[in-house]
Amino acid sequence: MSQVDYAIKAIAEQVEDNELVYIGLNSIPSLIASFMARDLYGKKIRIIGVAEADNPKSVEISPSTGNPFMVSNTPVFITADAFDLAQKGRLDVMFLGPVQIDKETNVNLSVIGDYHNPKVRLTGGAATAFILPLVRKAILWNLKHSKRSLVEKVDFVTGTAKYSSNKVIVVTNLGVLKYDREKKTWFITAIYENTSVEDILNNTAFEVVVSPTLRIITLRNDEREFIKRIDPYNLRSALA
């Protein structure tokens, strides 16, 4: 069983009734998870995103979540209007897939190493710096959980929620972390049936604490089948 599928379920569980959910570019796990939350779990959410669709009836996964032809039976909702909603505090959920996340909720989608002489130049943050502190709940996903991805300090701050008051959640191939602003601490809130707390502790560069309400996430057959049906070509596996 692919760890991506566990992460998809974990993301879907973080989405709640009556939320306006925005899906950014090349965010396949969160796209599948959003439709899973709405169509399998029956959550009353509204899905918008860079495909400029307003709560489409169905979706066919493509290599780019910005592909307008991957959705059907939908009115248009342009990206500029979504950004306006974020600025007005009316965007509930936004997903991001940073390469690095640090203990202060800074994220990096720009470079690895020195900015002027990087080891790796990444895709860039698009609207990350703008939306991350404004959205009510930021769900960050990273499917390569290690001390190189969950770092003490990011190499470059593409965006941050450090000065915001929003919720910040990280979903990885090992489990789920939530940031407690009052304690300035990350809590492990869930692991998967095939991972452990020790896996997260040993692969995170900053201090994390085990939540007293730690959950174990399992996958039912109907959940596995839903994921396969919405992503029949298994494009999600390329991200693992």
Side-chain angles (χ1 to χ4, degrees):
M1 178 59 59
S2 170
Q3 292 305 108
V4 181
D5 292 358
Y6 286 100
I8 288 169
K9 177 174 179 177
I11 294 170
E13 290 185 340
Q14 301 304 319
V15 178
E16 301 174 273
D17 279 337
N18 304 312
E19 288 185 328
L20 177 62
V21 176
Y22 185 87
I23 299 167
L25 190 64
N26 296 334
S27 195
I28 288 175
S30 59
L31 176 69
I32 299 172
S34 296
F35 279 85
M36 189 175 185
R38 191 191 72 178
D39 298 342
L40 184 63
Y41 299 153
K43 297 184 181 183
K44 298 176 177 63
I45 62 173
R46 180 181 172 194
I47 301 170
I48 60 175
V50 291
E52 303 204 325
D54 188 352
N55 213 28
K57 182 178 179 180
S58 61
V59 63
E60 180 177 332
I61 299 298
S62 96
S64 171
T65 53
N67 179 0
F69 301 106
M70 72 173 183
V71 293
S72 61
N73 299 325
T74 175
V76 173
F77 194 101
I78 65 172
T79 299
D81 287 345
F83 287 3
D84 283 345
L85 288 176
Q87 194 164 26
K88 294 173 183 176
R90 294 171 57 191
L91 188 59
D92 296 307
V93 179
M94 172 69 177
F95 305 99
L96 290 170
V99 171
Q100 289 182 329
I101 304 160
D102 74 18
K103 65 178 182 179
E104 295 186 324
T105 74
N106 300 313
V107 302
N108 178 17
L109 297 95
S110 301
V111 297
I112 300 298
D114 180 75
Y115 182 79
H116 299 288
N117 186 29
K119 297 177 183 177
V120 180
R121 189 168 295 280
L122 304 171
T123 56
T128 296
F130 173 72
I131 293 184
L132 181 54
L134 298 177
V135 67
R136 293 176 180 175
K137 182 194 298 178
I139 301 178
L140 314 177
W141 57 271
N142 185 296
L143 302 178
K144 300 181 185 298
H145 192 145
S146 74
K147 290 183 178 180
R148 293 187 298 175
S149 56
L150 275 72
V151 298
E152 183 77 13
K153 183 178 180 181
V154 295
D155 291 354
F156 183 87
V157 180
T158 307
T160 185
K162 180 178 178 179
Y163 305 107
S164 182
S165 59
N166 58 2
K167 296 179 181 179
V168 183
I169 299 162
V170 172
V171 176
T172 77
N173 55 303
L174 298 181
V176 181
L177 306 175
K178 290 187 180 180
Y179 187 67
D180 186 312
R181 290 192 175 277
E182 184 178 343
K183 297 179 180 179
K184 296 184 178 179
T185 301
W186 287 94
F187 282 83
I188 306 171
T189 60
I191 55 175
Y192 307 136
E193 58 188 333
N194 58 1
T195 64
S196 68
V197 166
E198 288 71 24
D199 290 332
I200 294 179
L201 295 175
N202 293 336
N203 288 282
T204 306
F206 50 83
E207 183 180 4
V208 293
V209 177
V210 180
S211 169
T213 57
L214 179 73
R215 297 176 52 251
I216 297 177
I217 296 175
T218 62
L219 274 171
R220 305 190 309 259
N221 287 336
D222 62 326
E223 293 165 335
R224 295 188 185 103
E225 290 305 314
F226 182 90
I227 293 171
K228 290 178 183 177
R229 186 168 66 251
I230 202 170
D231 181 24
Y233 301 107
N234 197 25
L235 295 177
R236 65 194 182 281
S237 66
L239 302 168

